[in-house]
Amino acid sequence: MTEQPTRDRGPDAGAAAARGFADRHIGPDPAELTQMLKAVGHGSTAELMTAALPERILSSPGQWAPLELPAPAGETEALAELRELADRNRVLTSMIGQGYYDTITPPVIQRNILENPAWYTAYTPYQPEISQGRLEALLNFQTMVSDLTGLAVSGASLLDEATAAAEAMTLARRATRGNGDAFIVDSDVFPQTLSVLRTRAEPLGIDVVVADLSEGLPDTDAFGVLVQYPAASGAVRDPRAVIAETHERGALAVVAADILALTMLQSPGAMGADIAVGSTQRFGVPMGFGGPHAGYMSLREGLQRQLPGRLVGVSVDNAGKPAYRLALQTREQHIRREKATSNICTAQVLLAVMAGMYAVYHGPHGLRAIAERVHGHAVDLAARLRAAGCEVVHDAFFDTLRVRVRGGASAVVAAAAERGVNLLAADADTVGLSCDEATTTAHLEEVVAAFTGSPVAGAAEGGRAVPQALPGELHRGVDYLGHPVFSAHRSETSLLRYMRRLADKDLALDRSMIPLGSCTMKLNATAEMESVTWPEFARLHPFAPLDQAAGSVRIVRDLERWLAEITGYDAVSLQPNAGSQGELAGLLAIRGYHRGRGDEGRDVCLIPSSAHGTNAASAIMAGMRVKVVACDDGGNIDLEDLRAKTAQHSGDLAAIMITYPSTHGVYEDTVTEVCRLVHEAGGQVYVDGANLNALLGWAKPGEFGADVSHLNLHKTFCIPHGGGGPGVGPVAARSHLAGYLPNHPSQPEAGPYTGVGPVSSAPFGSAGILQISWAYIRMMGEEGLRAATEAAVLSANYVARRLEPYYPVLYTGRGGLVAHECIVDIRGLAKQTGISNEDVSKRLIDYGFHAPTMSFPVAGTLMVEPTESEDLEELDRFVDAMIAIRGEIDRVADGTYAPEDNPLKNAPHTAEALTADDWKHPYPRSEGAYPVPELRFDKYWSPVGRIDQAYGDRNLVCSCPPPEAFEV
Ligand SMILES: *Cc1c(COP(=O)(O)O)cnc(C)c1O
């Protein structure tokens, strides 16, 4: 054992208090840590780390990695700093438009969804029985999108509008194999959409052909056509001719549609479109300087099996009652690896829930009224401008105008900014302006004054009468949101209770530990969350001039610097809005690097068989060929196989993608050797950083041989999971790849000018939630972050050690230790007794727990990641539940319980089943309900019994079922 400057973690309560936030973030107190250390047989956490970590990955022998970070701030201090940063932002009235609009978040939704841990700390609804509330909320979202777009099936959210368009592009190609490689895009499309399409098209050999579609389709063999509706310029054109021509050529028609405009305009589906995409931001989700917001995609009957992302569907539980769950292959689309059609994993659940609730709050007529008001303002503004002698370009528009000013655009934009309004300089001669829900007549007056120089313009009639500037043939009646949920909750009392009722159905971190391997469900501290809804951060438009966003930019720059320091890389881009997008960005950087050196032929990506499914899916999207590297019996990368593969591919190797510590929860000893072999063969090393919680403060991927990584700020850095999003997936790279990181057409400061183009709609991605990770690092500091890593690794080893006598722990590394998670093997017991990992998972619900990760990375197992945030009492409560379940399994084995009718197979038990007058099961009701006595005092009741997945897949229903379905 080398000398370790062990931190003072003695049981001195005074010293602990002085350490501040870290001790609130880290669950076990010093006394508990000591007790846990004893159980795993180590004297200190530092000693445990040096025993577990391979010496070769440490910066210096036996030594942790120093982190140059500011000394930690307390919660009050950090909030004061954030307050000061917020004050550096100047929120002007935004009329920039371009896909982002000011909106009014109903306070009841802001407080009870966005600011409510019951919603934001929930995990992705893979365990549907404990997720009925958020699944219902997502079904509302799907129904809303499906109704408004007039298409049969809507997914439960995508990452943003531009990536949704890119997903539609690849979907169209898959669905129309053999129709050429061109995708035709309307020239009047948002610039960020076009840029993301180009980024995503290039590696796949897709030709993005830009054309003015008002003149018909260009003469190109294309598999798809995208038209924007209304167009980016605001013009409302009838897309029917384009759609018809598209179909005549055997291609698919994609309409990128504004969700609010659709309350007044003919739906894409009604006009024959195959796919609609867009953003639901303006349905009550703040702009947040770029995100997060829920992108949407809906499609016509017949294409649903191609849908990227998640789809919520209706099935039945074991009592035949309707119950929701993720439908079809979308439960885990990306687990299909290189056969996956999309790499989307984390999406935008929380924001989709908000947008759906906005529709529940306003109802169809409320939404229509908002749209009419917005449209009325635009009509009013056009009239005022015309009266003042300005040239308004289009006659048909919804909310957005173009005004021609002959070389004067920047002067008008500057004059408007002086008056507190941001407009868009569409080009040197054209000013763009968009009205939105927050627009007032006073704003219109300021805008006119900015054009004319005179504060009181020769005004037209103030516009309440809704003079229409929409073409008559595109008018739409209120033929949407007819489901009762969109009219049942007009009063706030009713809506409040509806949201509460849904939240109460779900298990989130605010009720119990969520021991999910690979997902790091740690504390999302309130002090980290608080500033998210401050208007100075929330109401900034992503294309606002940077001098109005000084505070937000400072947060971006701090975070980039801190993450580079933590990971040992040279450059960081915060643009990717999920881990999957960070993977793509990292692989595109590798691709750019090889091509920059004239190495065009390097396109093989090696991926170990244990990898997360997104890895292979991302490699395909980056235009690479996936070759799988085997793992040995210990779960480690098989070096022999790797040697063979690198030798075989020395001429065409692009990269290897590994996860460290591995998805098996083990610090592989051979990682530096893996890096060396790949580098020698001319490849680059991508380290998937989703497991950084096991390394932070101890080792840095950028120093032990990797070239690029993504991180998941929604795992390691405290952004809550939101029930399946939002996420932030920054990509971090060494200097030779830095020039190939993402950039953005609307913001030169967002990336290198040599970059590969944008991977997200917004320049800085989901900038509106970066304060969370900023606050975490700011409050933890070097010592705190390292202590968190140590506590996470200690907790995992403690759990593994305690479970071992009851369940085999599948893989361990040096010293018999695991990293930050452990795999519990149920397969042997399953073989003996017929009790599966699923039965154990569902039985855990009866004990009040969310299940661990099921069957990843090894089928038939459970993976547990306790994180540093759970105190010893909660860890023990979980372990005790697992031990009690083992006892139940033994009772199946010895015949006490019937093999098919026992508390495990019948789990979870609903109150209804347990109180039924005809209880027919051969074990007492109390054994079903209260397997451990504490449950009699505090019990989570599953609202539905075990859900029949297959039934739901056979009978696909993915919009709200009618109320009669719930009749008793
Ligand atoms: C979570 C995870 C990802 C994907 O990240 P998302 O943010 O969900 O897209 C990739 N790799 C690993 C190992 C992960 O655990």
Side-chain angles (χ1 to χ4, degrees), residues 345-346 518 578-580 583 612 614-615 659 663 688 690 710 712 714-715:
C345 179
T346 292
S518 206
S580 59
E583 290 176 21
H612 195 266
T614 51
N615 290 182
T659 305
T663 57
D688 181 326
H710 79 269
N712 300 64
H714 47 301
K715 294 177 182 173

Side-chain angles (χ1 to χ4, degrees), residues 559 713 717-719 769-778:
L559 207 48
L713 299 193
F717 294 94
C718 299
I719 290 177
I769 51 174
L770 296 178
Q771 303 95 291
I772 301 168
S773 299
W774 186 94
Y776 177 59
I777 298 173
R778 186 70 194 86

Side-chain angles (χ1 to χ4, degrees), residues 442-685:
H443 297 145
L444 306 188
E445 284 164 5
E446 296 295 347
V447 170
V448 176
F451 277 92
T452 61
S454 127
V456 265
E461 302 302 296
R464 282 309 310 150
V466 190
Q468 289 259 355
L470 299 175
E473 69 276 17
L474 294 177
H475 285 192
R476 177 179 194 178
V478 183
D479 58 349
Y480 41 80
L481 307 186
H483 190 278
V485 74
F486 298 108
S487 46
H489 306 294
R490 275 298 74 72
S491 80
E492 177 159 332
T493 302
S494 173
L495 182 59
L496 178 72
R497 289 178 188 157
Y498 177 56
M499 295 189 297
R500 170 64 189 256
R501 206 154 61 236
L502 294 185
D504 278 354
K505 292 182 180 197
D506 289 11
L507 262 191
L509 273 182
D510 64 334
R511 287 205 208 206
S512 78
M513 166 180 185
I514 301 186
L516 271 164
S518 206
C519 283
T520 316
M521 299 293 291
K522 59 165 71 173
L523 170 74
N524 318 115
T526 310
E528 291 155 5
M529 295 296 297
E530 241 182 5
S531 72
V532 168
T533 47
W534 293 354
E536 293 85 349
F537 293 126
R539 290 185 79 182
L540 271 189
H541 191 285
F543 307 145
L546 284 197
D547 62 1
Q548 297 172 18
S552 290
V553 171
R554 175 63 198 274
I555 287 169
V556 166
R557 299 300 178 223
D558 280 351
L559 207 48
E560 286 171 352
R561 210 173 52 250
W562 295 343
L563 293 176
E565 170 67 14
I566 284 166
T567 55
Y569 287 111
D570 302 306
V572 171
S573 167
L574 294 168
Q575 192 185 88
N577 45 20
S580 59
Q581 309 304 296
E583 290 176 21
L584 176 63
L587 291 170
L588 290 178
I590 290 174
R591 176 182 163 87
Y593 169 78
H594 287 312
R595 294 168 88 80
R597 293 157 44 100
D599 255 350
E600 258 95 27
R602 291 200 173 270
D603 68 346
V604 167
C605 187
L606 299 177
I607 298 186
S609 56
S610 60
H612 195 266
T614 51
N615 290 182
S618 299
I620 298 296
M621 289 166 63
M624 296 184 181
R625 288 182 291 148
V626 172
K627 302 283 169 194
V628 175
V629 182
C631 286
D632 63 21
D633 292 343
N636 303 309
I637 293 175
D638 181 337
L639 278 190
E640 276 316 298
D641 193 41
L642 179 65
R643 278 197 195 93
K645 296 250 156 71
T646 48
Q648 188 189 340
H649 293 291
S650 59
D652 56 10
L653 184 61
I656 190 168
M657 281 186 103
I658 54 174
T659 305
Y660 203 82
S662 75
T663 57
H664 290 152
V666 174
Y667 297 109
E668 285 179 56
D669 240 340
T670 54
V671 65
T672 47
E673 177 70 1
V674 168
C675 295
R676 192 182 62 77
L677 285 170
V678 171
H679 283 146
E680 278 177 10
Q684 294 280 294
V685 176

Side-chain angles (χ1 to χ4, degrees), residues 6 85 90 136 147 174 320 368 389 401 407 545 751 763 806 826 844:
T6 28
L85 289 169
R90 269 195 317 132
E136 179 168 332
D147 278 12
R174 286 196 301 281
R368 173 68 166 233
L401 306 177
Y806 307 91
I826 313 288
L844 273 169

